[in-house]
Amino acid sequence: LICFFSIDKAGGGVLSFLCNKILSLPGVVMEKYLINPNQRIATISKDIYGHFSEHLGRCIYDGIFVGKGSKIPNVNGMRTDVVTALKDMGIPVLRWPGGCFADEYHWTDGIGEQKDRKKMINTHWGGVVEDNSFGTHEYFELIRQLGCDAYVNGNVGSGSVREMNEWVEYMTFDGVSPMAALRKKNGADKPWKLRYFGVGNENWGCGGHMNGDYYADEFRRYNTYVRDYNAGEHIYRVACGPNAFDFKWTEQVMRKVPGQADGLSLHYYTVPYNWDHKGSATEFNLKDYDRTVAKAYRMEELVRRHTEIMNALDPQKRVDLIVDEWGTWFDVEPGTNPGFLYQLNTMRDAMVAALTLNIFNKHADRVQMANIAQTVNVLQAVILTEGDKMVLTPTYHVFKMYKDHQQNTLIGSYLTNSNTVECEECSAPQMIESASVDKNGTIYATVTNISATKKAKIKCQIADTKVSTLRAEILTGDMHDKNDFSNPDAVQVRPFDGVRKLSDGFVAELPPCSVVKFVINEK
Ligand code: AHR
């Protein structure tokens, strides 16, 4: 049994790897994991770890914003428990107000005296009353409390160029103008920092049912009036990108937006079956589990294939890929409003989050931002609330584990996989990983074992590195394990002792359904 393994020390990433037919051996194969800190690929944008909060169900109202008069502890209406938890998790950016809601949102409805704000029906999401008590000022107060960047999504579908132009003026202009004066009158003397601005959402669907060519022209028109008011402060503009595998949309839009858009969005949800029968979030068998994680892995193909089109039409890489909606989408919890998209969250969701974030890290040269849907109480939420109670989901713990990758340098890493997780139309490797190095030289490697039944063994070799200290932590459990209000800490990150340090790496055994973070320091 001979295994030959070598690394290109120059950092070119040439991996020569010749292994015997390990596959045929009984027992668990020792997989080879190579980390090459000499191969420095790209900065992992912190915003890959971004979030998305829409006026949908109990995400904003109840989940984040309870109002100043609430008995639930709050600062200026924002739940203290939720804000604290999101900060601890390292939230870097928050997208708002939608989603489909964005293309029906008229920002002037959400400013001024609370008592004067319009009450209306949220036609997209559950037909409930939207009282506009959370508007532009409240959003920027939330951003201030979270200490994260703002990502506001404008209305193309049912709005006007003037409305979008004036919103940007209202939010960002510091000089003499009607909108700056109105903002001051409403209590905000200084403008806010608007890092990202989305010009429409899903304009191929709920944002106007346009075709790509038409939208691209609309984008150019609207975007012309999204002004950079402050010297040295460019508002990063996101054009509406494709729905999952709609490669034609990417091609049509990318023919017209480079030079104007900074990013192109991609939306992909992991739906185990179909939109009429998505599958339960908590009641599932191994086949359902395998389908879910293997379908989530299709994100790799999506990022790669959309990027190929972008590379062909924008070789200078002026436009980034922004995956501003992703995550699991299951049937709603029985007994809840179908328009609220409330679902529970298990270790299966944690595996989807962990593998997807590794995919984004690996594509850090093109993926600038990603926003999981949605922060609290909606879809693959990191937080669930019930009255004054709060639960941190398994997905939350993945984000917190991975926050060390933010702004690190992605480094070369390669892992053999003898096993796959399969469904009829999809296949994923058993393990998905990524590795990065911070400015002090500490290496972080996150490895998922998405198999719910098979453990995995890895032998890691780190090029040109003498390992001095190695620390590891793990999130694992049965695929059904979850945190809920009666047992909020059932799933937790724990120190990992299934690892043995070697002089130039380590050996580890990952249990089924697990994600492990290895933190490595050199002598
Ligand atoms: O996240 C829920 C919805 O999914 C969003 O409003 C929309 O953009 C997408 O279809």
Side-chain angles (χ1 to χ4, degrees):
L1 178 70
I2 301 162
C3 227
F4 171 72
F5 201 41
S6 82
I7 305 162
D8 172 16
K9 291 191 178 170
V14 178
L15 171 72
S16 153
F17 182 23
L18 197 68
C19 239
N20 69 329
K21 284 205 134 230
I22 291 170
L23 260 174
S24 57
L25 291 176
V28 180
V29 172
M30 181 69 87
E31 305 289 358
K32 302 292 174 189
Y33 188 24
L34 172 66
I35 298 177
N36 186 357
N38 300 320
Q39 191 190 358
R40 302 172 83 86
I41 299 168
T43 298
I44 296 174
S45 162
K46 67 177 176 41
D47 297 337
I48 282 176
Y49 293 85
H51 292 260
F52 166 42
S53 288
E54 183 168 8
H55 287 236
L56 195 176
R58 297 187 303 111
C59 185
I60 296 282
Y61 299 114
D62 274 13
I64 295 174
F65 181 72
V66 287
K68 287 180 188 164
S70 172
K71 286 196 185 111
I72 297 173
N74 69 85
V75 175
N76 294 327
M78 314 298 158
R79 289 182 71 126
T80 311
D81 53 355
V82 169
V83 168
T84 306
L86 291 174
K87 282 171 75 174
D88 286 350
M89 187 193 65
I91 186 171
V93 61
L94 183 65
R95 178 177 184 237
W96 171 83
C100 293
F101 184 83
D103 278 86
E104 240 176 319
Y105 184 59
H106 302 285
W107 67 274
T108 50
D109 296 343
I111 57 169
E113 291 285 333
Q114 286 282 353
K115 65 175 175 38
D116 299 329
R117 294 193 192 178
K118 271 190 199 161
K119 291 188 176 38
M120 52 187 55
I121 301 297
N122 187 333
T123 45
H124 271 293
W125 304 120
V128 291
V129 173
E130 163 64 59
D131 68 2
N132 281 299
S133 54
F134 188 95
T136 305
H137 290 250
E138 289 74 23
Y139 170 69
F140 280 101
E141 169 59 12
L142 174 63
I143 292 299
R144 184 192 69 76
Q145 290 188 26
L146 292 172
C148 75
D149 280 332
Y151 176 14
V152 172
N153 211 117
N155 178 348
V156 168
S158 70
S160 68
V161 172
R162 178 174 179 174
E163 182 183 14
M164 186 179 286
N165 163 270
E166 290 186 340
W167 198 9
V168 172
E169 182 185 320
Y170 187 91
M171 291 185 279
T172 63
F173 189 46
D174 203 9
V176 178
S177 85
M179 291 304 115
L182 183 59
R183 183 192 66 238
K184 287 179 189 177
K185 181 170 156 263
N186 288 330
D189 211 38
K190 284 284 159 200
W192 299 287
K193 173 105 174 69
L194 180 60
R195 170 91 175 94
Y196 296 97
F197 189 77
V199 182
N201 167 75
E202 294 195 354
N203 301 95
W204 36 261
C206 64
H209 291 104
M210 305 173 190
N211 65 49
D213 232 16
Y214 178 81
Y215 168 75
D217 289 337
E218 286 294 88
F219 170 86
R220 292 167 68 96
R221 189 164 73 98
Y222 276 73
N223 183 56
T224 304
Y225 306 96
V226 175
R227 304 256 185 234
D228 285 332
Y229 285 102
N230 304 316
E233 262 185 35
H234 174 62
I235 301 169
Y236 184 111
R237 295 99 193 273
V238 181
C240 169
N243 178 20
F245 293 88
D246 185 354
F247 299 108
K248 186 174 170 197
W249 179 280
T250 299
E251 193 187 323
Q252 288 176 324
V253 175
M254 283 301 292
R255 285 196 186 284
K256 291 183 172 172
V257 304
Q260 303 212 12
D262 301 291
L264 180 79
S265 71
L266 162 67
H267 288 184
Y268 175 61
Y269 284 99
T270 300
V271 178
Y273 290 93
N274 56 58
W275 288 101
D276 295 328
H277 165 63
K278 297 183 261 310
S280 161
T282 52
E283 309 284 318
F284 55 87
N285 58 29
L286 185 59
K287 180 173 167 246
D288 304 329
Y289 172 92
D290 284 353
R291 280 192 73 78
T292 309
V293 292
K295 283 187 95 171
Y297 185 70
R298 299 205 73 181
M299 183 66 88
E300 207 286 324
E301 177 192 348
L302 281 170
V303 171
R304 193 166 27 79
R305 291 182 65 186
H306 285 292
T307 300
E308 278 164 15
I309 298 169
M310 294 170 78
N311 287 346
L313 295 168
D314 173 33
Q316 296 139 286
K317 297 193 175 181
R318 287 174 295 176
V319 184
D320 303 316
L321 190 61
I322 303 289
V323 190
D324 58 12
E325 288 188 31
W326 67 273
T328 55
W329 193 322
F330 302 120
D331 294 332
V332 298
E333 271 307 289
T336 63
N337 185 329
F340 279 18
L341 310 185
Y342 178 67
Q343 65 190 41
L344 298 179
N345 194 292
T346 66
M347 272 304 296
R348 177 174 60 162
D349 295 84
M351 289 297 99
V352 170
L355 79 86
T356 306
L357 291 170
N358 279 337
I359 293 169
F360 294 153
N361 284 350
K362 285 282 204 192
H363 289 276
D365 60 335
R366 199 79 192 221
V367 179
Q368 159 68 22
M369 174 164 62
N371 310 74
I372 190 170
Q374 298 195 5
T375 321
V376 189
N377 294 330
V378 170
L379 298 176
Q380 193 177 349
V382 290
I383 293 176
L384 304 175
T385 65
E386 234 176 59
D388 63 354
K389 295 199 195 71
M390 176 185 81
V391 160
L392 306 177
T393 67
T395 300
Y396 174 94
H397 291 296
V398 172
F399 271 83
K400 195 168 173 191
M401 268 177 109
Y402 276 52
K403 75 174 176 183
D404 292 320
H405 283 305
Q406 293 185 22
Q407 294 301 122
N408 282 1
T409 303
L410 175 72
I411 53 177
S413 58
Y414 312 86
L415 176 58
T416 65
N417 265 294
S418 303
N419 293 312
T420 53
V421 174
E422 306 274 342
C423 77
E424 286 89 344
E425 71 276 24
C426 48
S427 171
Q430 182 183 355
M431 288 182 284
I432 297 122
E433 60 71 45
S434 66
S436 71
V437 64
D438 72 10
K439 52 183 183 320
N440 303 315
T442 302
I443 294 168
Y444 300 87
T446 43
V447 184
T448 57
N449 174 12
I450 61 170
S451 169
T453 52
K454 294 190 182 83
K455 62 185 175 186
K457 283 185 184 168
I458 55 177
K459 180 166 190 287
C460 174
Q461 184 190 357
I462 306 169
D464 292 335
T465 302
K466 292 273 164 280
V467 176
S468 108
T469 60
L470 171 69
R471 187 168 58 76
E473 53 186 42
I474 186 166
L475 187 75
T476 189
D478 177 83
M479 62 185 180
H480 295 106
D481 283 356
K482 61 180 187 301
N483 293 336
D484 57 26
F485 294 94
S486 53
N487 198 357
D489 294 319
V491 177
Q492 285 185 55
V493 178
R494 299 178 198 279
F496 179 53
D497 54 15
V499 58
R500 186 164 52 86
K501 181 165 85 71
L502 304 175
S503 60
D504 63 347
F506 58 86
V507 179
E509 187 172 303
L510 276 60
C513 197
S514 66
V515 51
V516 177
K517 179 174 73 180
F518 301 94
V519 182
I520 303 132
N521 280 296
E522 215 188 337
K523 273 201 179 85

